Amino acid sequence: MPDSTTVGTAFVPVREPAAAADWYAAALGLGIREVTAWSAQLHDGDDRTVLTLMGPASGIRAEPGLPFATCSYLVDDLDAARRRLQAAGAAPSAVDGSPEACLFVTARDPDGNVLLVVDR
């Protein structure tokens, strides 16, 4: 049997890591672990980084404005998360999906990256 694998972090290209970190903290409730000139690392309360915001100084070749979500953001209360995203200017979609499988909203961060916020 192979060793188990865990996803360590998702990467999202942004224009300004510090500003993006502040936005993600407010809009999604993530904690800020570290911010540098090239990236910002955020966490969800665990000891590990769950999101790395990569700025231009990092050398990442991806431009901000990804038309797809690099990961999903799991929340306890989808309606409350939608309200936070609305307050943060992310223009979230209506709640969509299937109550039996998964409910979700999509939105865009200030850099135009698509976000997928799910209830499970």
Side-chain angles (χ1 to χ4, degrees):
M1 180 171 191
D3 293 333
S4 66
T5 301
T6 301
V7 176
T9 189
F11 294 91
V12 175
V14 298
R15 288 177 184 80
E16 171 33 57
D22 289 341
W23 187 88
Y24 275 82
L28 293 174
L30 294 172
I32 299 172
R33 180 177 309 282
E34 180 181 28
V35 176
T36 66
W38 53 89
S39 69
Q41 296 178 356
L42 292 95
H43 64 91
D44 63 0
D46 290 338
D47 288 336
R48 63 187 184 92
T49 299
V50 296
L51 181 64
T52 301
L53 305 171
M54 304 294 292
S58 71
I60 192 171
R61 294 181 183 217
E63 291 292 320
L66 295 178
F68 58 89
T70 61
C71 63
S72 61
Y73 300 92
L74 176 63
V75 296
D76 293 328
D77 184 337
L78 190 59
D79 291 324
R82 187 177 183 286
R83 287 190 298 275
R84 280 195 318 272
L85 288 164
Q86 184 71 39
S93 68
V95 174
D96 201 352
S98 165
E100 295 79 30
C102 176
L103 295 174
F104 66 90
V105 298
T106 58
R108 288 192 180 263
D109 72 9
D111 290 297
N113 298 301
V114 170
L115 306 176
L116 175 62
V117 183
V118 301
D119 72 342
R120 64 194 90 151

